[in-house]
């Protein structure tokens, strides 16, 4: 997602300590030592049961992420759900084996960490694989919605074979690129990695007696709301036999508001997403939908026949649709450029200070004059973290071998992308992967999609319009996004492993196994959506894949310039690009106290193209959480993530049986549709002449 994949949810961040756990009031590791729990060898952390559970949960979360990706592109952090469900499944498994007298190995926090890492790595491919953005943006379905660059040279339709092959040859380079830097990032620089730190706190708490009791209650709450969400999705299906039918098209605020995409669509998924996302993001989305669909688009629509031809179809980018898409792109690029420069600047300043002050833990040289006092927990964690080293030669040779395979293979998949384009990216990629991983450790902000957009513009322009530059740019985006995304994800996981005493070797292998699972599961799940729904990828349908058109048009802009823009659109793009930069600058200048009242430009841009209906759902989720916290804050903080995860996962999993029903040709029996009174009179007179 453009917002939540880059900024993890606040519930995780609030659980993290400021310095990554070095000043905890109670020594976590002494508690576990008192319970006589010694970390198992790295081979025993990668258990068969952990891989089975990871595979099952990977399928579950891939369906959830894929649905979110193909509807709005907003994907919340699912770390809590993965850790919680992993704990529940294996704990149940071991309990049954213990009662039967067959339990050979108890369930440890290290094994829990391996499961969480594997599941998040696998389901993450559903995002970084570009199924809702660059990869699907290559298809003729999306190309037909854009008047430019829709020649066969710039089109490649999805197919299971090449999608799986492409992901396998590009998804592992990011893992190898940052492995040699794990000690520098985690031990020497002591980077926080807030989401990784908070996930570790969560897993550690599960394996204490009090935490285990709470985890069971959280799983019970998740199960209840999962069942409710699944059954609600099943119930809604009965009323969706035609276009614009069912509860998802309920004109909550009247037909005029419905026409302008303002209505509550009864989506349990997005109510749950709203409960997880910070209030500021949800309010920013609502402000963006009001500004665009409530003010700007009606005003521009009034200029039909003046600014653009009145004969154009609703999906033509030379008409109103062009303003929606390109202004959204301008805001996304403005926000992305600002944050890229900000995070890069902080990375450079941080590195300078680290080397200048030599602010490192005295691991090898304990007599160093710069030695600092560190806690027992950090001593214990550092000792075990450095015990199971991953040799640098494995990382370097792995990167080189995968790069060679990729340079040979990818041009066969995308002839428009030449071997020298890929070689150039692979030379630069380790530096960008380091910058992204370091910046993520400082700010919890991953700029993977921003690096992907840079690749779109640079490689697309380099390839040229006559040589399929649009497709080359989209493919280059995929190569770059996969490298920098997996690099920052792995470093987050190393931080989690550091704080749970999981071996770096088991973390690396679980990330690699999860990535391999994702390279197969994600294309298969996408293929199911692609084949099951005839109107898949079309604007205004159940699965419009909005970012696919956005990414394709970014590539067109990079190759062909601004000739594709309708009248006055370029001027409006400049204004909104500058506004995004300005608003971000103001947010940083006024400080956190006042910045929480200023909307985020990236979040505001999302409904510009999609519509405001899902923002209503998310604000309902925020309202539920707000009231719950007012009534009983401790209970809300303990259970809200579990409840939200249940709502998200239940309706997300319903897409599996609904896809199977669609493939089997089974249609819902009822169409529930809402008409104005005048239209209803016409329908009645037609049916009863």
């Amino acid at each position: 997602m453009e917002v939540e994949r880059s900024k993890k949810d606040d519930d995780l961040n609030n659980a993290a300590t400021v310095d990554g756990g070095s000043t905890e009031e109670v020594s976590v590791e002494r508690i576990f030592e008192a319970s006589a729990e010694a970390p198992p060898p790295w081979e025993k952390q990668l258990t068969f049961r952990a891989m089975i559970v990871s595979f099952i949960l990977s399928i579950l979360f891939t369906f959830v992420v894929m649905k979110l990706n193909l509807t709005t592109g907003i994907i919340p952090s699912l770390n809590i759900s993965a850790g919680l469900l992993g704990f529940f499944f294996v704990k149940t498994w071991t309990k049954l084996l213990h009662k039967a007298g067959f339990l050979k190995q108890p369930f440890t926090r290290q094994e829990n960490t391996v499961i969480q890492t594997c599941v998040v790595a696998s389901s993450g491919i559903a995002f970084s694989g570009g199924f809702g953005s660059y990869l699907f943006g290559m298809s003729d379905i999306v190309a037909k919605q854009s008047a430019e660059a829709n020649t066969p040279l710039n089109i490649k339709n999805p197919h299971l074979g090449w999608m799986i092959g492409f992901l396998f040859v590009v998804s592992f380079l990011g893992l190898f690129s940052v492995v040699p830097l794990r000690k520098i990032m985690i031990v020497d620089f002591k980077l926080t990695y807030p989401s990784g730190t908070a996930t570790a706190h969560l897993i550690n708490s599960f394996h204490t007696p009090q935490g285990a009791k709470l985890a069971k209650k959280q799983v019970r709450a998740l199960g209840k709301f999962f069942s409710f969400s699944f059954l609600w999705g099943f119930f809604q299906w009965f009323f969706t036999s035609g276009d614009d039918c069912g509860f998802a098209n309920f004109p909550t605020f009247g037909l005029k508001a419905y026409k302008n995409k303002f209505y509550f669509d009864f989506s349990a998924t997005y109510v749950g997403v709203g409960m997880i996302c910070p209030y500021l993001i949800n309010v920013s989305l609502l402000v963006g939908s009001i500004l665009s669909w409530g003010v700007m688009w009606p005003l521009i629509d009034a200029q039909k026949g003046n600014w653009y031809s009145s004969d154009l179809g609703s999906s033509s980018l030379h008409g109103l649709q062009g303003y929606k898409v390109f202004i959204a792109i301008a805001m996304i690029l403005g926000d992305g450029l600002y944050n890229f420069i900000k995070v890069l600047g902080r990375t450079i300043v941080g590195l300078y200070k680290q080397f200048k002050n030599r602010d490192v833990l005295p691991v090898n040289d304990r007599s160093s004059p710069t030695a600092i006092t560190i806690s027992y927990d950090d001593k214990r964690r550092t000792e075990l973290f450095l015990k199971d080293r991953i040799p640098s030669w494995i990382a370097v040779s792995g990167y080189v071998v995968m790069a060679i395979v990729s340079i040979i293979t990818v041009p066969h998949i995308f002839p428009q992308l030449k071997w020298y384009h890929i070689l150039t990216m692979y030379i630069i990629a380790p530096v960008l992967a380091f910058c992204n991983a370091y910046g993520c450790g400082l700010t919890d902000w991953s700029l993977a999609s921003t690096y992907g957009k840079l690749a779109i513009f640079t490689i697309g322009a380099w390839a040229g319009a006559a040589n399929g530059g649009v497709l080359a740019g989209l493919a280059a985006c995929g190569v770059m996004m996969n490298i920098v995304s997996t690099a920052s994800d792995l470093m987050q996981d190393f931080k989690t492993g550091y704080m749970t005493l999981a071996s770096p070797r088991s973390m690396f292998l679980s990330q690699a196994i999860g990535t391999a699972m994702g390279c197969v599961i994600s294309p298969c799940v996408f293929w199911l959506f692609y084949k099951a729904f005839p109107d898949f990828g079309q604007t205004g349908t159940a699965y419009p894949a909005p970012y696919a058109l956005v990414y394709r048009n970014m590539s067109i802009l990079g190759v062909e310039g601004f000739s594709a823009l309708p009248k006055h659109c370029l001027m409006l793009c400049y204004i909104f690009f500058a506004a995004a930069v300005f608003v971000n600058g103001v947010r940083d200048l006024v400080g956190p106290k006042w910045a929480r009242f200023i909307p985020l430009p990236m979040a505001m841009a999302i409904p510009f193209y999609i519509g405001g209906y899902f923002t209503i759902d998310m604000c309902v989720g925020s309202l539920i959480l707000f009231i719950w916290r007012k009534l009983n804050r401790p209970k809300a903080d303990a259970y809200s993530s579990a409840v939200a995860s249940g709502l998200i996962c239940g309706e997300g999993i319903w897409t599996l049986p609904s896809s199977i029903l669609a493939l089997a040709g089974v249609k819902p029996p009822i169409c529930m549709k809402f008409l104005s009174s005048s239209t209803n009179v016409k329908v009645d007179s037609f049916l009863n002449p």
Side-chain angles (χ1 to χ4, degrees), residues 274-353:
M275 292 179 69
I276 289 180
C277 289
Y279 295 137
L280 180 59
I281 285 180
N282 296 335
V283 172
S284 299
L285 289 164
L286 183 62
V287 170
S289 63
I290 293 171
L291 176 63
S292 55
W293 291 87
V295 179
M296 289 176 56
W297 306 156
L299 290 174
I300 294 175
D301 189 49
Q303 299 297 321
K304 184 188 295 184
N306 182 15
W307 285 15
Y308 58 93
S309 173
S310 57
D311 299 327
L312 294 171
S314 60
S315 63
S316 173
L317 288 176
H318 290 289
L320 181 59
Q321 185 79 343
Y323 295 93
K324 296 176 184 177
V325 172
F326 289 113
I327 292 175
I329 289 173
M331 289 189 72
I332 291 169
L333 291 177
D335 187 284
L337 180 64
Y338 179 89
N339 284 296
F340 172 73
I341 293 171
K342 182 178 79 172
V343 173
L344 186 64
R346 289 188 62 177
T347 300
I348 293 169
V349 171
L351 283 171
Y352 172 75
K353 288 181 178 179

Side-chain angles (χ1 to χ4, degrees), residues 145-423:
Q145 299 175 50
S146 179
E148 285 75 24
N150 52 9
T151 60
L153 193 61
N154 285 306
I155 293 173
K156 190 173 184 66
N157 284 314
H159 190 275
L160 267 180
W162 74 256
M163 288 191 297
I164 293 173
F166 173 69
L167 290 175
F168 263 107
V169 297
V170 301
S171 296
F172 291 91
L173 282 106
L175 303 182
F176 291 112
S177 65
V178 293
V179 164
L181 304 173
R182 66 182 182 85
K183 175 183 175 293
I184 294 172
M185 299 283 214
I186 305 297
V187 178
D188 294 345
F189 289 171
K190 303 188 292 293
L191 295 178
T192 306
Y193 289 101
S195 289
T197 298
T199 303
H201 282 297
L202 188 77
I203 291 172
N204 282 335
S205 72
F206 286 164
H207 292 267
T208 60
Q210 299 84 356
K213 289 179 182 177
L214 177 60
K216 288 178 182 177
K217 293 178 181 178
Q218 289 173 327
V219 168
R220 201 173 295 125
L222 190 152
K224 287 179 183 177
F225 284 89
F226 177 95
S227 302
F228 164 76
S229 180
F230 182 88
L231 292 173
W232 175 239
F234 178 47
F235 175 74
Q236 288 188 85
W237 175 81
F238 284 96
F239 302 92
T240 57
S241 68
D243 294 336
D244 301 325
C245 295
F247 287 92
N249 294 282
F250 194 101
T252 323
F253 308 114
L255 289 169
K256 185 69 174 176
Y258 172 80
K259 185 181 177 182
N260 285 297
K261 303 285 188 179
F262 281 100
Y263 56 93
F264 178 63
D265 71 349
F266 293 89
S267 170
T269 296
Y270 282 102
V271 172
V273 172
M275 292 179 69
I276 289 180
C277 289
Y279 295 137
L280 180 59
I281 285 180
N282 296 335
V283 172
S284 299
L285 289 164
L286 183 62
V287 170
S289 63
I290 293 171
L291 176 63
S292 55
W293 291 87
V295 179
M296 289 176 56
W297 306 156
L299 290 174
I300 294 175
D301 189 49
Q303 299 297 321
K304 184 188 295 184
N306 182 15
W307 285 15
Y308 58 93
S309 173
S310 57
D311 299 327
L312 294 171
S314 60
S315 63
S316 173
L317 288 176
H318 290 289
L320 181 59
Q321 185 79 343
Y323 295 93
K324 296 176 184 177
V325 172
F326 289 113
I327 292 175
I329 289 173
M331 289 189 72
I332 291 169
L333 291 177
D335 187 284
L337 180 64
Y338 179 89
N339 284 296
F340 172 73
I341 293 171
K342 182 178 79 172
V343 173
L344 186 64
R346 289 188 62 177
T347 300
I348 293 169
V349 171
L351 283 171
Y352 172 75
K353 288 181 178 179
Q354 294 280 4
F355 286 116
K356 181 181 178 182
N357 301 327
R358 299 191 62 80
D359 183 16
V360 299
L361 287 174
V363 176
N364 297 320
D365 182 10
R366 299 190 182 276
S367 63
S368 168
T370 60
I372 57 175
T373 303
I374 58 174
S375 69
Y376 173 80
D377 282 359
D378 272 340
K379 288 178 183 177
R380 175 79 171 136
R381 290 165 178 171
T382 301
E383 177 188 344
L384 287 174
F385 189 72
L386 298 178
K387 180 183 174 184
D388 290 331
R389 291 180 178 274
I390 303 171
S392 295
W393 68 266
I394 291 180
V396 174
S397 59
Y399 187 88
V400 171
V401 169
M402 289 302 300
I404 292 170
V405 171
S406 184
I407 289 168
I408 295 170
T409 307
V410 172
H412 285 87
I413 300 173
F414 305 108
Q416 298 86 344
L417 196 62
K418 305 302 181 185
W419 66 268
Y420 47 84
H421 296 148
I422 304 167
L423 177 62

Side-chain angles (χ1 to χ4, degrees), residues 40-89:
W42 70 269
E43 301 96 333
K44 291 190 176 181
Q45 295 173 22
L46 288 162
T47 61
F48 176 74
R49 68 191 178 197
M51 294 301 101
I52 294 294
V53 170
S54 297
F55 180 73
I56 294 169
L57 291 180
S58 292
I59 295 173
L60 166 68
F61 283 107
T62 298
F63 268 98
V64 172
V65 173
M66 194 67 71
K67 180 186 176 179
L68 297 172
N69 217 2
L70 296 172
T71 48
T72 64
I74 299 175
I75 304 169
S77 173
L78 297 172
N79 294 41
I80 289 178
S81 308
L84 188 62
L85 287 173
F87 174 82
F88 167 71
F89 277 115

Side-chain angles (χ1 to χ4, degrees), residues 416-611:
Q416 298 86 344
L417 196 62
K418 305 302 181 185
W419 66 268
Y420 47 84
H421 296 148
I422 304 167
L423 177 62
T424 303
M425 284 191 287
Y426 286 164
I427 292 171
I428 299 170
V431 177
L432 300 182
F434 168 76
C435 291
N436 194 47
Y438 187 91
C440 195
L442 289 174
T443 65
D444 212 28
W445 192 283
S446 172
L447 296 174
S449 60
T450 304
Y451 288 113
K453 293 176 189 116
L454 289 175
I456 286 178
F457 289 112
T458 53
I459 302 298
W462 185 5
N467 301 310
V470 172
L471 195 67
L474 292 170
C477 173
V479 173
M480 190 60 71
M481 264 187 74
N482 276 284
I483 293 173
V484 297
S485 177
T486 52
S488 61
D489 288 348
L490 177 63
M491 207 54 70
Q492 286 272 18
D493 292 331
F494 274 146
K495 182 68 175 184
T496 304
Y498 170 79
M499 296 187 65
T500 58
L501 302 191
S503 167
R505 292 184 183 179
S506 65
M507 297 303 294
F508 178 79
L509 287 173
S510 65
Q511 180 89 13
I513 292 168
T515 301
M517 286 181 185
C519 290
V520 177
I521 295 171
S522 290
C524 290
V525 172
F526 173 78
W527 192 250
L528 185 62
F529 279 86
Y530 183 67
K531 288 295 184 181
F533 303 101
D535 56 0
F536 182 83
Q538 300 289 341
T539 304
T541 60
Y543 300 104
Y547 276 108
L549 185 61
V550 168
Y551 272 68
R552 185 173 184 87
N553 281 287
M554 283 185 191
S555 193
I556 291 172
L557 277 179
V559 173
E560 298 189 357
F562 301 113
S563 60
L565 302 180
K567 190 177 181 181
H568 300 303
C569 187
L570 181 59
M571 179 188 68
L572 290 171
C573 287
Y574 284 145
I575 292 171
F576 278 89
F577 180 94
V581 173
F582 176 76
V583 170
N584 273 302
V586 170
R587 283 176 49 80
D588 285 338
L589 284 173
V590 299
K593 181 180 178 181
W594 297 105
R596 60 197 177 101
F597 299 109
I598 302 174
L600 293 163
M602 179 73 81
M604 289 177 64
I606 294 172
F608 269 51
Y609 167 57
I610 303 169

